[in-house]
Amino acid sequence: MTDALQPDAAAQGSDRRLRVGVIGLGWAGQQHVAAYAADPTVDLAALSAMEDHLLAQFGDLHDVPGRYQDWQQMIAEAELDAVSIATPTFLHAPMAIAALEAGLHVITEKPMAENAESAARMVEAANRAGRVLDVSFNHRQRGDVTALKQVVDSGVLGTLYYAKTGWIRRQGIPGLGTWFTKAKSSGGGAMMDIGIHMLDMALHLMGEPEVTAASASTHAEFGPLGRGGSGFGISQVEEGVPFEVEDLATAFLRLEGGGTLLLESSWAQWIPHDLCYVTLYGADGGATIEWGGPDGPSITVWTEVAGMPAVLEPVVGEDGRHAAAVAGFLHKVRSDSWAEHNGALALRRAEVIDACYASAKAGAEVAIGA
């Protein structure tokens, strides 16, 4: 590790460039690599991946000096300040904890970990090390999400008491027979993979109310038959590897103060096209964002102006996605408030997902944080 900026030095705007690395060069890892490479305040100093061709491809593309198949060797030798972790879910906790204990700041891809227990150990490690722990919820960086958050914060909708959110795919079970569909390595199916994005967006838009209880149900109707992967026909599933997770999950979530949130997620379903949405119901107005259909993204607000019903169409800026998530992480690293960014919010998301799975297994509502 280099002589990392201390919070007070960071707050004073130190000119030293941060040395960063990326572990995992799948699609998500490639987004982190591109974000760092485009940032003039950092040096992309090291990459780690099992695939030689990806190390060569992205190492050459961005002139990265450190290239490692062994991520532990990278952490020990590359003299980094911060690292992105974009690997299978079950590896997030051991990698993040090792990096934090080595004095590095860490951002992982979502979900934070395969369960809340592992996520809690990550937060504990961040607190012990006094380093930033962040999780990349890149979809909250969408332009329409940002615009709707501004609407909510303006008070136009009044008190929010009910919301619905979901991500339903026409087809799209990732990696049939791979770690994605094995319970131990992924922690869960559609809810863990894409439902957590919608949970994060909805709670973010609603002002972070605490979830107090979950009542959920899960189903696996496509994956066990080899359906819903790369097309709606039967896919080749690795022999002897069962489909261990759900391909559809629904949840009724109770919120502090009496509010409620409905959450649904599915990797494959008999619908005409993918659908992602968040709908908010307030005392003074309602709003919805939706994307995935043939008409493209939309955002609409219904309220009343001067006693007359009104439909508002907020101006939507560009999507930030992974680049914005990485930029936010770097801003936290350069701030004077590392202790405030210890992964606690992402841990709360993990606790909700755990409660949903526990509820589905028990067939009963499960309290959270009781």
Side-chain angles (χ1 to χ4, degrees), residues 258-284:
T260 53
L261 170 62
L262 299 187
L263 169 67
E264 60 177 350
S265 54
S266 181
W267 276 335
Q269 201 52 243
W270 297 113
I271 55 175
H273 53 73
D274 289 6
L275 176 63
C276 300
Y277 67 93
V278 181
T279 302
L280 305 177
Y281 297 79
D284 299 322

Side-chain angles (χ1 to χ4, degrees), residues 18-84:
L18 294 172
R19 290 175 56 84
V20 301
V22 176
I23 305 174
L25 292 177
W27 181 84
Q30 292 169 26
Q31 310 312 304
H32 287 248
V33 167
Y36 288 130
D39 191 322
T41 71
V42 304
D43 287 323
L44 181 56
L47 304 175
S48 177
M50 296 296 293
E51 304 89 350
D52 281 332
H53 70 285
L54 292 178
L55 281 175
Q57 177 184 349
F58 290 97
D60 291 348
L61 178 63
H62 299 294
D63 194 24
V64 182
R67 307 176 192 186
Y68 302 84
Q69 283 195 319
D70 185 338
W71 62 271
Q72 292 171 308
Q73 183 182 5
M74 186 188 85
I75 288 175
E77 296 180 0
E79 298 185 333
L80 301 176
D81 296 300
V83 65
S84 283

Side-chain angles (χ1 to χ4, degrees), residues 99-110:
L100 290 163
E101 290 177 345
L104 279 62
H105 303 282
V106 174
I107 180 172
T108 76
E109 268 300 303
K110 67 81 214 166

Side-chain angles (χ1 to χ4, degrees), residues 231-298:
F232 251 101
I234 301 299
S235 302
Q236 292 296 317
V237 181
E238 184 181 341
E239 185 176 353
V241 179
F243 186 88
E244 298 176 335
V245 297
E246 85 285 355
D247 50 39
L248 182 145
T250 62
F252 174 91
L253 304 177
R254 297 187 186 277
L255 309 178
E256 64 178 349
T260 53
L261 170 62
L262 299 187
L263 169 67
E264 60 177 350
S265 54
S266 181
W267 276 335
Q269 201 52 243
W270 297 113
I271 55 175
H273 53 73
D274 289 6
L275 176 63
C276 300
Y277 67 93
V278 181
T279 302
L280 305 177
Y281 297 79
D284 299 322
T288 189
I289 52 176
E290 181 178 313
W291 67 96
D295 298 328
S298 64

Side-chain angles (χ1 to χ4, degrees), residues 199-234:
L199 173 67
D200 176 71
M201 276 186 280
L203 293 176
H204 169 64
L205 288 167
M206 297 181 80
E208 296 298 340
E210 293 291 340
V211 181
T212 61
S215 182
S217 180
T218 59
H219 305 270
E221 302 296 334
F222 286 76
L225 299 177
R227 294 182 182 273
S230 57
F232 251 101
I234 301 299

Side-chain angles (χ1 to χ4, degrees), residues 22-26 28-29 48-49 71 84-93 95 108-111 179-180 185:
V22 176
I23 305 174
L25 292 177
S48 177
W71 62 271
S84 283
I85 298 173
T87 59
T89 304
F90 72 102
L91 295 174
H92 290 182
M95 289 179 170
T108 76
E109 268 300 303
K110 67 81 214 166
W179 70 268
F180 270 107
S185 54

